[in-house]
Amino acid sequence: MEKQEERKSSLLDGWNAPPNIVTFSRIVLVVIFLALYVMAGAWGTKNTTMRWVAAIISIIAACTDKLDGWMARKYNQVTELGKLMDPIADKLLTCGTLIVAAIFNEFGNAVLGWVVTALFLIREIGITIMRFFVIDTGGKVIAASQAGKYKTLCQCIGLAMLMLPMWSLADGMNTTPLWMTVYYTITYALIYLALILCLYSGGEYLVNTFGGRKKTAKSEKETK
């Protein structure tokens, strides 16, 4: 019981630190963004202005990810809660966006959109469960890897580009302008690149988690 209470208290240490407050604020922004995204309709055809606002909020939410990380490192306020909640806030933003985009068929192909979304969700939910498992067994939360950070960057940029209703700028034109074709080609390329990095970093996390635990157990046996 004592050990369990120690783990709980250590996880909650620094919950009100400024970097963690920024993380909690990001979660609130994500909820507002998703509500506006849904109300604006597919591609923002029901309310283009609302879609623009939703896109801007999603970009602000994504940018605060760098802010809380910078604050935590600069002011030495890195906490276990922060390392846990930061990726969860990111997943709420990215996974929520992917699900709504798939429902609205904004990936161009309904089947491909759901396959991409499902792969992202399997990895993201799986890693989140793994993080809770590590905490529950008394281990340290493993921070995001470099590949995971690149994944988040590509994913956030790609989804932000998808959210922006750039089609409205060419509304009324007889033909699709070249810049729009290039724009959406880059958008989807970033999302698919993020998927590759997502699966790679997920495998990397599993290796680091279980590999590290095996090494720790082995070293403990050798010292006995």
Side-chain angles (χ1 to χ4, degrees), residues 52-163:
W52 278 107
V53 174
I56 292 170
I57 290 176
S58 72
I59 292 171
I60 293 172
C63 289
T64 59
D65 173 43
K66 300 302 178 185
L67 176 61
D68 56 11
W70 175 81
M71 289 173 65
R73 290 187 297 273
K74 183 172 179 63
Y75 300 107
N76 194 26
Q77 294 179 320
V78 177
T79 63
E80 290 298 300
L81 180 63
K83 287 193 285 185
L84 177 66
M85 293 305 298
D86 183 58
I88 287 178
D90 293 336
K91 288 170 178 55
L92 286 174
L93 175 61
T94 55
C95 291
T97 305
L98 286 165
I99 291 171
V100 178
I103 292 172
F104 285 163
N105 191 20
E106 294 184 358
F107 289 103
N109 182 289
V111 176
L112 181 61
W114 278 113
V115 169
V116 170
T117 300
L119 289 173
F120 269 118
L121 290 177
I122 290 170
R123 186 271 188 190
E124 303 291 25
I125 294 174
I127 294 301
T128 301
I129 292 173
M130 280 286 301
R131 287 177 186 272
F132 280 113
F133 170 76
V134 170
I135 292 171
D136 189 57
T137 54
K140 289 284 187 179
V141 178
I142 298 176
S145 66
Q146 200 62 41
K149 291 177 181 178
Y150 288 141
K151 178 270 300 183
T152 301
L153 179 63
C154 291
Q155 194 176 35
C156 288
I157 294 175
L159 292 178
M161 291 176 69
L162 184 65
M163 289 302 98

